[in-house]
Coordinates of all heavy atoms in Angstrom, one line a residue:
D1 N 105.2 89.1 133.0 CA 106.3 88.3 132.6 C 105.9 86.8 132.7 O 105.2 86.4 133.5 CB 107.5 88.5 133.5 CG 108.1 90.0 133.3 OD1 107.8 90.6 132.3 OD2 108.8 90.4 134.2
L2 N 106.6 86.0 131.8 CA 106.3 84.6 131.8 C 107.6 83.8 131.5 O 108.4 84.2 130.6 CB 105.3 84.2 130.7 CG 105.1 82.7 130.4 CD1 104.5 82.0 131.6 CD2 104.2 82.6 129.2
L3 N 107.9 82.9 132.3 CA 109.1 82.0 132.1 C 108.5 80.6 131.8 O 107.8 80.0 132.7 CB 110.0 81.9 133.3 CG 111.1 80.9 133.3 CD1 112.1 81.3 132.2 CD2 111.8 80.8 134.7
I4 N 108.9 80.0 130.7 CA 108.4 78.7 130.3 C 109.6 77.7 130.5 O 110.7 78.0 129.9 CB 107.8 78.6 128.9 CG1 106.6 79.5 128.8 CG2 107.5 77.2 128.5 CD1 106.0 79.6 127.4
I5 N 109.4 76.7 131.3 CA 110.4 75.7 131.5 C 109.8 74.4 131.0 O 108.7 74.0 131.4 CB 110.7 75.5 133.0 CG1 111.0 76.9 133.6 CG2 111.8 74.5 133.2 CD1 110.7 77.0 135.1
A6 N 110.5 73.7 130.0 CA 109.8 72.6 129.4 C 110.8 71.4 129.3 O 111.9 71.5 128.9 CB 109.3 73.0 128.0
G7 N 110.3 70.2 129.7 CA 111.0 69.0 129.5 C 112.4 68.9 130.1 O 113.3 68.5 129.4
T8 N 112.4 69.2 131.4 CA 113.7 69.1 132.0 C 113.6 68.6 133.5 O 112.6 68.8 134.1 CB 114.4 70.5 132.1 OG1 115.6 70.5 132.7 CG2 113.5 71.6 132.8
S9 N 114.7 68.0 133.9 CA 114.7 67.6 135.3 C 115.3 68.6 136.2 O 115.4 68.5 137.4 CB 115.6 66.3 135.4 OG 117.0 66.6 135.0
L10 N 115.8 69.7 135.6 CA 116.5 70.8 136.3 C 117.7 70.3 137.1 O 117.9 70.8 138.2 CB 115.5 71.6 137.2 CG 114.4 72.3 136.5 CD1 113.4 72.9 137.6 CD2 114.9 73.5 135.7
R11 N 118.4 69.4 136.6 CA 119.6 68.9 137.2 C 120.9 69.4 136.7 O 121.9 69.3 137.3 CB 119.6 67.3 137.1 CG 118.5 66.7 137.9 CD 118.7 65.2 137.8 NE 117.5 64.5 138.4 CZ 117.1 63.3 138.1 NH1 117.7 62.6 137.2 NH2 116.1 62.8 138.8
V12 N 120.8 70.1 135.5 CA 122.1 70.5 134.9 C 122.3 72.0 135.2 O 121.5 72.9 135.0 CB 122.0 70.4 133.4 CG1 123.3 70.9 132.7 CG2 121.8 68.9 133.0
S13 N 123.5 72.3 135.8 CA 123.8 73.6 136.2 C 124.6 74.3 135.0 O 125.3 73.6 134.3 CB 124.7 73.5 137.4 OG 125.1 74.8 137.9
P14 N 124.5 75.5 134.8 CA 123.8 76.5 135.6 C 122.4 76.8 135.1 O 121.7 77.6 135.8 CB 124.7 77.8 135.3 CG 125.1 77.6 133.9 CD 125.3 76.1 133.7
S15 N 121.9 76.2 134.1 CA 120.5 76.5 133.6 C 119.5 76.1 134.6 O 118.4 76.7 134.6 CB 120.3 75.8 132.3 OG 120.4 74.4 132.4
N16 N 119.8 75.2 135.5 CA 118.8 74.8 136.5 C 118.5 75.9 137.6 O 117.6 75.8 138.3 CB 119.1 73.5 137.2 CG 120.4 73.6 138.0 OD1 121.2 74.6 137.9 ND2 120.7 72.6 138.8
T17 N 119.3 76.9 137.6 CA 119.2 78.0 138.5 C 118.3 79.2 138.0 O 117.8 80.0 138.7 CB 120.5 78.6 139.0 OG1 121.2 79.2 137.8 CG2 121.4 77.6 139.6
I18 N 118.0 79.2 136.7 CA 117.2 80.2 136.1 C 115.9 80.4 136.7 O 115.5 81.6 137.0 CB 117.1 80.0 134.5 CG1 118.5 80.2 133.9 CG2 116.1 81.0 133.9 CD1 118.6 79.8 132.4
P19 N 115.1 79.4 137.0 CA 113.8 79.6 137.6 C 113.8 80.3 139.0 O 112.9 81.0 139.4 CB 113.2 78.2 137.8 CG 113.9 77.4 136.8 CD 115.3 78.0 136.6
A20 N 115.0 80.2 139.7 CA 115.1 80.8 141.0 C 115.4 82.3 140.9 O 115.2 83.1 141.8 CB 116.2 80.1 141.8
Y21 N 115.9 82.8 139.7 CA 116.3 84.2 139.5 C 115.2 85.1 139.2 O 115.3 86.3 139.4 CB 117.4 84.3 138.4 CG 118.8 83.8 138.9 CD1 119.4 82.7 138.3 CD2 119.4 84.5 139.9 CE1 120.6 82.3 138.8 CE2 120.7 84.1 140.3 CZ 121.3 83.0 139.7 OH 122.5 82.6 140.2
V22 N 114.1 84.6 138.7 CA 113.0 85.5 138.4 C 112.2 85.9 139.6 O 112.2 85.2 140.6 CB 112.0 84.9 137.3 CG1 112.7 84.5 136.1 CG2 111.3 83.7 137.9
N23 N 111.6 87.1 139.6 CA 110.8 87.6 140.7 C 109.5 86.7 140.7 O 108.6 86.9 139.9 CB 110.4 89.0 140.5 CG 109.7 89.6 141.6 OD1 108.9 88.9 142.3 ND2 109.9 90.9 141.9
K24 N 109.4 85.9 141.7 CA 108.3 84.9 141.7 C 106.9 85.6 142.1 O 105.9 85.0 141.9 CB 108.6 83.8 142.8 CG 109.8 82.9 142.3 CD 110.2 82.0 143.5 CE 111.5 81.4 143.2 NZ 112.6 82.3 143.6
N25 N 107.0 86.8 142.5 CA 105.8 87.6 142.8 C 105.2 88.2 141.5 O 104.0 88.5 141.4 CB 106.0 88.6 143.9 CG 106.3 88.0 145.2 OD1 105.7 87.0 145.6 ND2 107.3 88.5 145.9
K26 N 106.1 88.5 140.5 CA 105.7 89.2 139.3 C 105.7 88.3 138.1 O 105.0 88.6 137.1 CB 106.6 90.4 139.1 CG 106.5 91.5 140.1 CD 107.4 92.6 139.8 CE 107.3 93.7 140.8 NZ 108.1 94.8 140.5
C27 N 106.5 87.3 138.1 CA 106.7 86.4 136.9 C 106.0 85.1 137.1 O 106.2 84.4 138.1 CB 108.1 86.2 136.7 SG 108.5 85.2 135.2
V28 N 105.1 84.7 136.2 CA 104.5 83.4 136.2 C 105.5 82.4 135.6 O 106.1 82.7 134.5 CB 103.2 83.4 135.3 CG1 102.6 82.0 135.2 CG2 102.2 84.4 135.9
R29 N 105.7 81.4 136.3 CA 106.6 80.3 135.8 C 105.7 79.1 135.4 O 105.0 78.6 136.3 CB 107.6 79.9 136.9 CG 108.5 81.0 137.4 CD 109.5 80.6 138.4 NE 108.9 79.9 139.5 CZ 109.5 79.2 140.4 NH1 110.8 79.1 140.4 NH2 108.9 78.5 141.4
M30 N 105.9 78.7 134.2 CA 105.1 77.5 133.7 C 106.1 76.4 133.5 O 107.0 76.5 132.7 CB 104.4 77.8 132.4 CG 103.7 76.7 131.8 SD 103.0 77.0 130.2 CE 102.9 75.4 129.6
L31 N 105.9 75.3 134.1 CA 106.7 74.1 134.0 C 105.9 73.0 133.3 O 104.8 72.7 133.8 CB 107.2 73.6 135.3 CG 108.0 72.2 135.3 CD1 109.2 72.3 134.5 CD2 108.3 71.8 136.7
A32 N 106.3 72.6 132.1 CA 105.7 71.5 131.4 C 106.7 70.3 131.5 O 107.8 70.4 130.9 CB 105.4 71.9 130.0
N33 N 106.3 69.2 132.1 CA 107.2 68.1 132.3 C 106.4 66.9 132.7 O 105.3 67.0 133.2 CB 108.2 68.4 133.3 CG 109.5 67.6 133.2 OD1 109.9 67.2 132.1 ND2 110.2 67.4 134.3
R34 N 106.9 65.7 132.5 CA 106.2 64.5 133.0 C 106.2 64.3 134.5 O 105.3 63.6 135.0 CB 106.9 63.3 132.3 CG 106.7 63.2 130.8 CD 107.3 61.9 130.2 NE 107.1 62.0 128.8 CZ 107.9 61.5 127.9 NH1 109.0 60.9 128.3 NH2 107.7 61.5 126.7
E35 N 107.1 65.0 135.1 CA 107.1 65.0 136.6 C 107.7 66.3 137.1 O 108.4 67.0 136.4 CB 108.0 63.8 137.2 CG 109.4 63.8 136.7 CD 110.1 62.5 137.1 OE1 109.5 61.4 137.0 OE2 111.3 62.7 137.4
C36 N 107.3 66.7 138.3 CA 107.8 67.9 138.9 C 109.1 67.7 139.5 O 109.2 66.9 140.5 CB 106.8 68.5 139.9 SG 107.2 70.1 140.4
P37 N 110.2 68.3 139.1 CA 111.5 68.1 139.7 C 111.5 68.6 141.1 O 110.8 69.5 141.5 CB 112.4 69.1 138.9 CG 111.7 69.3 137.6 CD 110.2 69.2 137.9
L38 N 112.3 67.9 141.9 CA 112.3 68.2 143.4 C 112.7 69.7 143.7 O 112.2 70.3 144.6 CB 113.2 67.2 144.1 CG 112.8 65.8 144.1 CD1 113.9 64.9 144.8 CD2 111.5 65.6 144.9
M39 N 113.6 70.2 142.8 CA 114.1 71.5 143.1 C 113.2 72.6 142.6 O 113.5 73.8 142.7 CB 115.5 71.7 142.6 CG 115.7 71.7 141.1 SD 117.4 71.9 140.6 CE 117.9 73.3 141.5
F40 N 112.1 72.3 142.0 CA 111.1 73.3 141.5 C 110.1 73.5 142.6 O 109.2 72.7 142.8 CB 110.4 72.9 140.2 CG 109.6 74.0 139.6 CD1 110.2 75.0 138.9 CD2 108.2 74.0 139.7 CE1 109.5 76.0 138.3 CE2 107.5 75.0 139.1 CZ 108.1 76.0 138.4
D41 N 110.2 74.6 143.3 CA 109.3 74.9 144.5 C 108.1 75.7 143.9 O 108.3 76.8 143.5 CB 110.1 75.7 145.5 CG 109.2 76.0 146.7 OD1 108.3 75.2 147.0 OD2 109.5 77.0 147.4
I42 N 106.9 75.0 143.8 CA 105.8 75.7 143.2 C 105.2 76.8 144.1 O 104.9 76.5 145.3 CB 104.7 74.6 142.9 CG1 105.2 73.6 141.9 CG2 103.4 75.3 142.4 CD1 104.3 72.5 141.6
K43 N 105.1 78.0 143.6 CA 104.6 79.1 144.3 C 103.2 79.4 143.8 O 102.7 78.8 142.9 CB 105.5 80.4 144.0 CG 106.9 80.2 144.5 CD 107.0 80.0 146.0 CE 108.5 79.9 146.4 NZ 108.7 79.5 147.7
N44 N 102.5 80.5 144.3 CA 101.1 80.8 144.0 C 100.9 81.0 142.5 O 99.8 80.6 142.0 CB 100.7 82.0 144.8 CG 100.5 81.7 146.3 OD1 100.3 80.5 146.6 ND2 100.5 82.6 147.1
N45 N 101.8 81.8 141.9 CA 101.5 82.0 140.5 C 102.3 81.2 139.5 O 102.6 81.6 138.4 CB 101.6 83.5 140.1 CG 102.9 84.2 140.6 OD1 103.4 83.8 141.7 ND2 103.5 85.0 139.8
D46 N 102.6 80.0 139.9 CA 103.3 79.0 139.1 C 102.3 78.0 138.5 O 101.2 77.8 139.1 CB 104.3 78.2 139.9 CG 105.5 79.0 140.3 OD1 105.8 80.0 139.7 OD2 106.2 78.6 141.3
V47 N 102.6 77.5 137.4 CA 101.7 76.5 136.7 C 102.5 75.3 136.4 O 103.6 75.4 135.8 CB 101.1 77.1 135.4 CG1 100.3 76.0 134.7 CG2 100.3 78.3 135.6
F48 N 102.1 74.1 136.8 CA 102.7 72.9 136.5 C 101.8 72.1 135.6 O 100.7 71.7 136.0 CB 103.1 72.1 137.8 CG 103.7 70.7 137.5 CD1 104.8 70.6 136.7 CD2 103.0 69.6 138.0 CE1 105.3 69.3 136.4 CE2 103.5 68.3 137.7 CZ 104.7 68.2 136.9
Y49 N 102.3 71.8 134.4 CA 101.5 70.9 133.5 C 102.2 69.6 133.5 O 103.3 69.4 133.0 CB 101.5 71.5 132.1 CG 100.7 70.7 131.1 CD1 99.4 71.0 130.8 CD2 101.3 69.6 130.5 CE1 98.7 70.2 129.9 CE2 100.6 68.8 129.6 CZ 99.3 69.1 129.3 OH 98.5 68.3 128.4
K50 N 101.5 68.5 134.1 CA 102.1 67.2 134.1 C 101.7 66.5 132.8 O 100.6 66.2 132.5 CB 101.5 66.4 135.3 CG 102.2 65.1 135.5 CD 101.7 64.4 136.7 CE 102.5 63.0 136.8 NZ 102.7 62.6 138.1
G51 N 102.8 66.2 132.0 CA 102.5 65.5 130.8 C 103.6 65.8 129.8 O 104.7 66.4 130.1
D52 N 103.4 65.5 128.5 CA 104.3 65.7 127.5 C 104.3 67.2 127.1 O 103.3 67.8 127.1 CB 104.0 64.9 126.2 CG 104.2 63.4 126.5 OD1 105.1 63.0 127.3 OD2 103.6 62.6 125.8
C53 N 105.5 67.7 126.7 CA 105.6 69.1 126.3 C 104.7 69.4 125.1 O 104.1 70.5 125.1 CB 107.1 69.4 126.1 SG 108.1 69.4 127.5
D54 N 104.7 68.5 124.1 CA 103.9 68.8 122.9 C 102.5 69.0 123.3 O 101.8 70.0 122.8 CB 104.0 67.6 121.9 CG 105.3 67.6 121.2 OD1 106.2 68.5 121.4 OD2 105.6 66.6 120.5
D55 N 101.9 68.2 124.2 CA 100.5 68.3 124.6 C 100.3 69.6 125.4 O 99.3 70.3 125.2 CB 100.1 67.2 125.5 CG 100.1 65.8 124.8 OD1 100.0 65.9 123.5 OD2 100.3 64.8 125.4
A56 N 101.3 70.0 126.2 CA 101.2 71.3 127.0 C 101.1 72.5 126.1 O 100.3 73.3 126.2 CB 102.4 71.4 127.9
F57 N 102.0 72.5 125.0 CA 102.0 73.6 124.1 C 100.8 73.7 123.2 O 100.3 74.7 122.9 CB 103.3 73.7 123.4 CG 104.4 74.1 124.3 CD1 105.4 73.2 124.6 CD2 104.5 75.4 124.9 CE1 106.4 73.5 125.4 CE2 105.5 75.7 125.7 CZ 106.5 74.8 126.0
K58 N 100.3 72.5 122.8 CA 99.0 72.5 122.1 C 97.9 73.0 122.9 O 97.1 73.8 122.4 CB 98.7 71.0 121.6 CG 99.6 70.6 120.5 CD 99.3 69.1 120.1 CE 100.3 68.7 119.0 NZ 100.1 67.2 118.7
E59 N 97.8 72.6 124.2 CA 96.7 73.1 125.0 C 96.9 74.6 125.3 O 95.9 75.3 125.3 CB 96.7 72.3 126.4 CG 95.5 72.7 127.2 CD 95.3 71.8 128.4 OE1 95.8 70.6 128.4 OE2 94.7 72.2 129.4
L60 N 98.1 75.0 125.5 CA 98.3 76.5 125.7 C 97.9 77.3 124.5 O 97.3 78.3 124.6 CB 99.8 76.7 126.1 CG 100.2 78.1 126.4 CD1 99.5 78.7 127.6 CD2 101.7 78.2 126.6
S61 N 98.3 76.8 123.3 CA 97.9 77.5 122.1 C 96.4 77.6 121.9 O 95.9 78.6 121.5 CB 98.6 76.9 120.9 OG 98.0 75.6 120.5
E62 N 95.7 76.5 122.3 CA 94.2 76.5 122.3 C 93.7 77.6 123.2 O 92.8 78.3 122.9 CB 93.7 75.1 122.6 CG 93.9 74.1 121.5 CD 93.5 72.7 122.0 OE1 92.8 72.6 123.0 OE2 93.8 71.7 121.3
L63 N 94.2 77.6 124.4 CA 93.7 78.6 125.4 C 94.0 80.0 125.0 O 93.2 80.9 125.3 CB 94.4 78.3 126.8 CG 94.0 77.0 127.5 CD1 94.9 76.8 128.7 CD2 92.6 77.1 128.0
L64 N 95.0 80.2 124.3 CA 95.4 81.6 123.8 C 94.8 81.9 122.4 O 94.9 83.0 121.9 CB 96.9 81.7 123.7 CG 97.6 81.7 125.1 CD1 99.1 81.6 124.9 CD2 97.2 82.8 125.9
G65 N 94.1 81.0 121.8 CA 93.5 81.2 120.5 C 94.5 81.1 119.4 O 94.3 81.8 118.3
W66 N 95.6 80.4 119.6 CA 96.7 80.3 118.6 C 96.7 79.0 117.9 O 97.7 78.7 117.2 CB 98.0 80.6 119.2 CG 98.1 82.0 119.9 CD1 97.4 83.1 119.7 CD2 99.2 82.4 120.8 NE1 97.8 84.1 120.4 CE2 98.9 83.7 121.1 CE3 100.2 81.7 121.4 CZ2 99.7 84.4 122.0 CZ3 101.0 82.4 122.3 CH2 100.8 83.8 122.6
S67 N 95.7 78.1 118.0 CA 95.8 76.8 117.5 C 96.1 76.8 116.0 O 96.9 76.0 115.5 CB 94.5 76.0 117.7 OG 94.3 75.8 119.1
E68 N 95.4 77.6 115.2 CA 95.6 77.6 113.8 C 97.0 78.1 113.4 O 97.7 77.5 112.6 CB 94.6 78.6 113.1 CG 94.6 78.5 111.6 CD 93.5 79.3 111.0 OE1 92.5 79.6 111.6 OE2 93.7 79.8 109.8
D69 N 97.5 79.1 114.2 CA 98.9 79.5 113.9 C 99.9 78.4 114.2 O 100.9 78.2 113.5 CB 99.2 80.8 114.8 CG 98.4 82.0 114.4 OD1 98.0 82.1 113.3 OD2 98.2 82.8 115.3
L70 N 99.7 77.7 115.3 CA 100.6 76.6 115.7 C 100.6 75.5 114.6 O 101.6 75.0 114.2 CB 100.3 76.1 117.0 CG 101.1 74.9 117.5 CD1 102.6 75.3 117.6 CD2 100.6 74.4 118.9
Q71 N 99.4 75.2 114.2 CA 99.3 74.1 113.1 C 99.9 74.5 111.8 O 100.6 73.7 111.2 CB 97.8 73.8 112.9 CG 97.1 73.0 114.1 CD 97.9 71.8 114.5 OE1 98.3 71.0 113.7 NE2 98.1 71.6 115.8
N72 N 99.8 75.8 111.5 CA 100.5 76.3 110.3 C 102.0 76.3 110.4 O 102.7 75.9 109.5 CB 100.1 77.7 110.0 CG 98.6 77.8 109.4 OD1 98.1 76.8 108.9 ND2 98.0 78.9 109.6
L73 N 102.5 76.6 111.6 CA 104.0 76.5 111.9 C 104.5 75.1 111.8 O 105.5 74.8 111.2 CB 104.3 77.1 113.2 CG 104.3 78.6 113.4 CD1 104.4 79.0 114.8 CD2 105.4 79.2 112.5
I74 N 103.7 74.1 112.4 CA 104.1 72.7 112.3 C 104.1 72.2 110.9 O 105.0 71.5 110.4 CB 103.1 71.9 113.2 CG1 103.3 72.2 114.7 CG2 103.3 70.4 113.0 CD1 102.3 71.7 115.6
K75 N 103.1 72.6 110.1 CA 103.0 72.2 108.7 C 104.1 72.7 107.9 O 104.8 72.0 107.1 CB 101.6 72.7 108.1 CG 101.4 72.3 106.7 CD 100.1 72.8 106.2 CE 99.9 72.4 104.7 NZ 98.7 73.0 104.2
H76 N 104.5 74.0 108.1 CA 105.6 74.6 107.4 C 106.9 73.9 107.8 O 107.7 73.6 106.9 CB 105.7 76.1 107.7 CG 106.8 76.8 107.1 ND1 106.9 77.1 105.8 CD2 108.0 77.2 107.7 CE1 108.1 77.7 105.5 NE2 108.7 77.8 106.7
Y77 N 107.1 73.6 109.1 CA 108.3 72.9 109.5 C 108.4 71.5 108.9 O 109.5 71.2 108.4 CB 108.3 72.8 111.0 CG 109.4 71.8 111.5 CD1 110.7 72.2 111.6 CD2 109.0 70.5 111.9 CE1 111.7 71.3 112.0 CE2 110.0 69.6 112.4 CZ 111.3 70.1 112.4 OH 112.3 69.2 112.8
E78 N 107.3 70.8 108.8 CA 107.3 69.4 108.2 C 107.6 69.5 106.8 O 108.4 68.7 106.2 CB 106.0 68.7 108.5 CG 105.9 68.3 110.0 CD 104.5 67.8 110.4 OE1 103.6 67.9 109.5 OE2 104.4 67.3 111.5
E79 N 107.1 70.5 106.0 CA 107.3 70.6 104.6 C 108.8 71.0 104.4 O 109.4 70.5 103.5 CB 106.4 71.7 104.0 CG 105.0 71.2 103.9 CD 104.0 72.4 103.6 OE1 104.4 73.5 103.5 OE2 102.8 72.1 103.4
S80 N 109.3 71.9 105.2 CA 110.7 72.3 105.1 C 111.7 71.1 105.3 O 112.7 70.9 104.7 CB 111.1 73.4 106.0 OG 110.3 74.6 105.7
K81 N 111.3 70.3 106.3 CA 112.1 69.2 106.7 C 112.1 68.2 105.5 O 113.2 67.6 105.2 CB 111.6 68.5 108.0 CG 112.4 67.4 108.5 CD 111.8 66.9 109.8 CE 112.5 65.6 110.3 NZ 111.9 65.1 111.5
K82 N 111.0 68.0 104.9 CA 110.9 67.0 103.8 C 111.7 67.5 102.6 O 112.4 66.7 102.0 CB 109.4 66.9 103.4 CG 109.2 65.8 102.3 CD 107.7 65.7 101.9 CE 106.8 65.3 103.1 NZ 105.4 65.1 102.7
V83 N 111.7 68.8 102.3 CA 112.5 69.3 101.2 C 114.0 69.2 101.5 O 114.8 68.8 100.6 CB 112.2 70.8 101.0 CG1 113.2 71.5 100.1 CG2 110.8 71.0 100.4
K84 N 114.4 69.4 102.8 CA 115.8 69.2 103.1 C 116.2 67.8 103.0 O 117.3 67.5 102.5 CB 116.0 69.7 104.5 CG 117.5 69.7 104.9 CD 117.7 70.1 106.4 CE 119.2 70.0 106.8 NZ 120.0 69.0 106.3
E85 N 115.4 66.9 103.4 CA 115.7 65.4 103.3 C 115.9 65.0 101.8 O 116.8 64.3 101.5 CB 114.6 64.6 104.0 CG 114.7 64.7 105.5 CD 113.5 64.0 106.2 OE1 112.6 63.5 105.4 OE2 113.5 63.9 107.4
Q86 N 115.0 65.6 101.0 CA 115.1 65.3 99.5 C 116.4 65.8 98.9 O 117.0 65.2 98.1 CB 113.9 65.8 98.8 CG 112.6 65.1 99.1 CD 111.3 65.7 98.6 OE1 111.4 66.9 98.1 NE2 110.2 65.0 98.6
D87 N 116.7 67.1 99.4 CA 118.0 67.7 98.9 C 119.2 66.9 99.3 O 120.1 66.7 98.6 CB 118.1 69.1 99.4 CG 117.2 70.1 98.7 OD1 116.6 69.7 97.7 OD2 117.0 71.2 99.2
D88 N 119.1 66.4 100.6 CA 120.2 65.6 101.1 C 120.4 64.3 100.3 O 121.5 63.8 100.1 CB 120.0 65.3 102.6 CG 120.2 66.5 103.5 OD1 120.8 67.5 103.0 OD2 119.8 66.5 104.7
E89 N 119.2 63.6 100.0 CA 119.3 62.4 99.2 C 119.9 62.6 97.8 O 120.6 61.8 97.3 CB 117.9 61.8 99.1 CG 117.3 61.2 100.3 CD 115.9 60.8 100.2 OE1 115.3 60.8 99.1 OE2 115.3 60.4 101.2
K90 N 119.5 63.8 97.2 CA 120.1 64.1 95.9 C 121.6 64.3 96.0 O 122.3 63.8 95.1 CB 119.5 65.4 95.3 CG 118.1 65.2 94.9 CD 117.5 66.5 94.4 CE 116.0 66.3 94.0 NZ 115.4 67.6 93.7
K91 N 122.1 64.9 97.1 CA 123.5 65.1 97.3 C 124.2 63.8 97.4 O 125.3 63.5 96.9 CB 123.8 66.0 98.5 CG 123.5 67.4 98.2 CD 123.7 68.2 99.5 CE 123.2 69.7 99.3 NZ 123.3 70.4 100.6
D92 N 123.6 62.8 98.1 CA 124.2 61.5 98.4 C 124.2 60.7 97.1 O 125.1 59.8 96.9 CB 123.3 60.7 99.4 CG 123.5 61.3 100.8 OD1 124.5 62.1 101.0 OD2 122.7 61.0 101.7
D93 N 123.3 60.9 96.2 CA 123.3 60.2 94.9 C 124.4 60.6 93.9 O 124.7 59.9 93.0 CB 121.9 60.4 94.2 CG 120.8 59.6 94.9 OD1 121.1 58.7 95.8 OD2 119.6 59.9 94.7
K94 N 125.0 61.8 94.2 CA 126.0 62.3 93.2 C 127.3 61.8 93.5 O 127.8 61.2 94.3 CB 126.1 63.8 93.3 CG 124.8 64.5 92.7 CD 125.0 66.0 92.8 CE 123.7 66.6 92.1 NZ 123.8 68.0 92.1

């Protein structure tokens, strides 16, 4: 099992309690954040990536051999976003 926690201070309840509910002996918890929140108690099979979430997921995708898949998803998202923006501009012109 894997729980990914990204870009959060873990200050907002009730979502800040989720990391405490998983079995810390069986579930790897990966936290990607610029700083480690005080309430995140790092255990033996936890991973803390200090830095930006985008960088963390790019590195994770490289480690898993998914870099090309991730780049294709990003490209598809950017193309879809551009098409939507063009459609919105056309609607505004009418």
Side-chain angles (χ1 to χ4, degrees):
D1 294 341
L2 172 65
L3 172 66
I4 297 176
I5 309 152
T8 179
S9 64
L10 293 174
R11 291 185 185 154
V12 178
S13 185
S15 59
N16 64 348
T17 61
I18 293 170
Y21 283 115
V22 299
N23 184 329
K24 295 171 194 83
N25 296 316
K26 294 182 180 180
C27 181
V28 174
R29 301 181 310 165
M30 177 189 156
L31 171 64
N33 204 27
R34 291 185 182 144
E35 56 188 38
C36 188
L38 293 175
M39 68 180 309
F40 189 78
D41 185 25
I42 298 176
K43 301 295 183 191
N44 287 337
N45 50 320
D46 290 337
V47 177
F48 173 58
Y49 181 96
K50 184 174 181 153
D52 291 333
C53 293
D54 289 353
D55 296 336
F57 290 111
K58 285 178 186 175
E59 187 170 336
L60 181 61
S61 72
E62 288 173 13
L63 292 169
L64 296 170
W66 299 345
S67 293
E68 188 175 335
D69 294 331
L70 179 61
Q71 290 306 316
N72 287 337
L73 286 170
I74 292 169
K75 182 180 177 184
H76 177 73
Y77 168 76
E78 289 172 350
E79 290 170 354
S80 298
K81 186 177 173 183
K82 189 181 295 185
V83 168
K84 184 182 180 328
E85 288 171 355
Q86 290 170 349
D87 288 346
D88 289 346
E89 287 175 9
K90 288 178 184 175
K91 288 177 187 176
D92 289 343
D93 290 342
K94 289 183 180 183

